Amino acid sequence: MTTESTSIPPSPGPWPTAGQSFGRASLATRRRRTDRLALPYRPARSRSGVLPLVAVDCLAVLSAAALLSGAHHDARLLLPIVALVLVLDGRAGLYRPAAHTRALDELPALASRAGVAWCLAAAGVAAFSPALAIGPLRLCAAYGFHVGAVTLVRALLLARRRRVARANPRSALVIGGAGAARRFAAAAVQHPEYGVRPVGIVGVPEQGGAPRPAGEPGLPVLTTTEEIHRAVIQNTVRDAVFLDDDPGLVTLFQHYGCTTWRVGGRQQAGPMGAHMWGYAWHRLVPPAERRGLTAKRALDIAFAAPALALALPVLLLCALAVRLSDGPGVLFRQERVGQHGRHFTLLKFRTLRPSDDTESATRWNVAGDRRMSAAGSFLRKSSLDELPQLWNILRGDMSLVGPRPERPYFVAQFSKIHTGYAARHRMPVGLTGLAQVNGLRGDTSIEDRCRFDNHYIDHWSLWQDFCILLRTAAGLVRPTGS
């Protein structure tokens, strides 16, 4: 468990105004109040394209079962096959294909997952009811019919999607250097079959009036948050296409409800058909949609609840020490910024009584303050002052592992100074994190910690959370404090 601080805190100052130019730096979203991050306008997302593809899979299984014997027309067999096919295809992203996807591009993925489902079903029947085992010929016939039916019907549905996408392209903003963005926009305009209609470019205006590529319709270059906000609403922007990596802007557009895409690059995973006129094309998945985040929350509860119960004697001793040394007010409550910019009240044992609310909100580091009692100094050096945050974890304000939460005042400052700082709020804040276990605590670089936090989010896995918790526990053996 760690605490946060940095080298030299920036001078006080307000948030940049909505019309202030941001160039190519990452930026945070804002509320009308100057000390908050915002959850901006979110256009509603249509799910109408998902249901037909789900229905195709269900009907394919039921139709293929007609080739089996009458004894196998049992819901106890067919429903698990349907469920397994839906889960496997859903995890593979087969229910959200790009507008230009073709059925042949998906055939290997569809066939392999259908094969797994039917083979597991046949193995289960043979294991529990050998007399009802499905013969190899019937199994192959059912599997072949399933794959053929799915491929044929999906081909018809995807062809219709391509026609609809061509007739009703989705408005998009292109983010990147103005020259490269205009070239991509020109390709999208000349090839409407991909269903993308650029309505603006987010970036830095060209110097010297560089000529526009042929076919590019003179798109406006947006350079402020106000212009982006207005463009998203007025044009009903559904897609944000990134030619350059910018975690802050990715977070901003995902908060607006836009689907974010990364185009270009030398190599991308996925089928050969996953491109837009030769540009590699893949979706940037918001952290909230990532697999395993439910397990992350379950881990938080499974760990924090018993830890809080086991730590109760220690909590009582710490509270008694604070009460005897510093008087009433054992717990220290402070407003912090959590996931998506939401504010919450963080709990700690009081180790120093600030002179007023302004000092509490804006003073960066109190380590070495002569007003700190011996009990407060010990709690900080041993990180025992952070134990009450187990309650924050149970409440859902925090996670065990994630970027450390900061006060609104410093979030405002750091978001203006450090590229990608606002992007740290894409995932729940944590009691410990990758930056802290790499020694970035105390008087260390905010830029380095920001880079570690975004790297953790981009490469998150449940196993990495376990590793970070183990490294944190090992670090508590030789505490250095804050």
Side-chain angles (χ1 to χ4, degrees):
M1 293 177 284
T2 56
T3 53
E4 60 285 342
S5 59
T6 188
S7 49
I8 302 176
S11 59
W15 279 90
T17 62
Q20 183 173 339
S21 176
F22 57 82
R24 292 291 296 127
S26 299
L27 73 158
T29 54
R30 306 164 181 78
R31 294 186 191 271
R32 291 183 181 178
R33 287 180 55 185
T34 59
D35 63 343
R36 286 181 178 265
L37 297 174
L39 288 178
Y41 164 82
R42 292 173 180 262
R45 294 186 181 182
S46 172
R47 296 182 178 271
S48 59
V50 176
L51 295 180
L53 299 177
V54 171
V56 168
D57 277 346
C58 296
L59 293 175
V61 172
L62 298 179
S63 300
L67 301 178
L68 302 178
S69 65
H72 298 123
H73 298 168
D74 191 323
R76 291 173 296 179
L77 171 63
L78 300 182
L79 290 181
I81 298 177
V82 170
L84 187 55
V85 168
L86 294 182
V87 169
L88 293 176
D89 286 358
R91 290 179 65 87
L94 294 172
Y95 296 135
R96 294 187 179 277
H100 56 277
T101 302
R102 298 180 181 275
L104 287 179
D105 296 331
E106 299 180 326
L107 181 56
L110 290 168
S112 61
R113 285 158 178 78
V116 169
W118 281 102
C119 288
L120 287 177
V125 171
F128 291 100
S129 300
L132 297 177
I134 303 174
L137 292 180
R138 286 184 181 272
L139 180 63
C140 290
Y143 166 72
F145 184 89
H146 177 167
V147 174
V150 165
T151 303
L152 177 60
V153 179
R154 283 182 72 102
L156 298 175
L157 291 175
L158 293 177
R160 181 181 180 277
R161 286 168 62 99
R162 291 195 298 273
R163 290 194 300 270
V164 171
R166 186 183 185 97
N168 302 285
R170 292 160 58 103
S171 298
L173 292 176
V174 184
I175 299 91
R182 289 193 183 280
R183 288 191 293 273
F184 174 84
V189 170
Q190 293 169 7
H191 300 279
E193 64 269 21
Y194 292 97
V196 177
R197 179 174 65 90
V199 296
I201 293 171
V202 178
V204 181
E206 296 135 306
Q207 301 297 323
R212 297 197 304 266
E216 195 271 300
L219 298 176
V221 178
L222 313 177
T223 60
T224 68
T225 55
E226 183 180 48
E227 292 173 346
I228 293 175
H229 186 90
R230 185 166 56 248
V232 168
I233 295 177
Q234 292 179 350
N235 296 283
T236 316
V237 172
R238 302 289 301 281
D239 295 284
V241 182
F242 285 80
L243 280 74
D244 299 323
D245 293 322
D246 192 322
L249 285 176
V250 170
T251 302
L252 174 69
F253 281 104
Q254 289 174 346
H255 284 174
Y256 275 116
C258 299
T259 302
T260 48
W261 303 89
R262 178 68 166 90
V263 301
R266 295 184 57 186
Q267 184 178 359
Q268 301 291 350
M272 185 173 291
H275 71 92
M276 208 229 79
W277 199 241
Y279 287 90
W281 177 278
H282 74 281
R283 184 180 175 222
L284 300 174
V285 181
E289 296 182 19
R290 293 185 186 174
R291 306 163 188 163
L293 289 185
T294 302
K296 180 178 175 68
R297 178 61 184 151
L299 174 66
D300 291 340
I301 296 174
F303 181 90
L308 193 59
L310 292 174
L312 185 59
V314 179
L315 289 168
L316 293 175
L317 288 175
C318 292
L320 180 61
V322 173
R323 179 65 176 82
L324 293 177
S325 62
D326 296 325
V330 169
L331 288 178
F332 178 62
R333 295 171 174 84
Q334 191 174 66
E335 189 176 30
R336 298 291 178 100
V337 178
Q339 186 180 21
H340 301 322
R342 296 186 180 92
H343 290 207
F344 69 96
T345 300
L346 180 138
L347 301 177
K348 300 174 70 172
F349 281 122
R350 185 180 299 279
T351 57
L352 176 70
R353 192 177 299 276
S355 57
D356 52 37
D357 292 340
T358 301
E359 180 185 9
S360 173
T362 62
R363 182 174 178 181
W364 178 250
N365 191 2
V366 298
D369 194 305
R370 294 183 178 180
R371 294 174 296 171
M372 190 179 302
S373 65
S377 179
F378 172 77
L379 291 178
R380 289 185 65 85
K381 289 181 179 179
S382 62
S383 295
L384 291 175
D385 62 324
E386 310 245 11
L387 281 177
Q389 291 171 42
L390 291 171
W391 178 247
N392 287 117
I393 294 172
L394 282 179
R395 283 172 46 87
D397 299 326
M398 299 172 59
S399 177
L400 288 169
V401 182
R404 283 294 296 165
E406 192 44 79
R407 284 162 285 177
Y409 174 84
F410 289 108
V411 170
Q413 301 301 320
F414 297 155
S415 295
K416 292 187 292 184
I417 296 172
H418 300 290
T419 299
Y421 188 87
R424 299 168 66 254
H425 299 95
R426 291 174 287 163
M427 284 188 77
V429 294
L431 187 63
T432 185
L434 183 64
Q436 284 70 34
V437 297
N438 279 279
L440 293 172
R441 52 178 297 186
D443 237 2
T444 54
S445 166
I446 288 294
E447 181 179 359
D448 289 346
R449 288 157 63 175
C450 171
R451 187 166 55 250
F452 268 91
D453 288 337
N454 282 308
H455 181 80
Y456 163 79
I457 296 171
D458 292 336
H459 300 86
W460 175 84
S461 70
L462 198 61
W463 174 247
Q464 288 302 318
D465 276 7
F466 277 113
C467 294
I468 291 171
L469 289 173
L470 290 175
R471 294 175 64 182
T472 300
L476 290 176
V477 177
R478 35 185 201 283
T480 58
S482 57

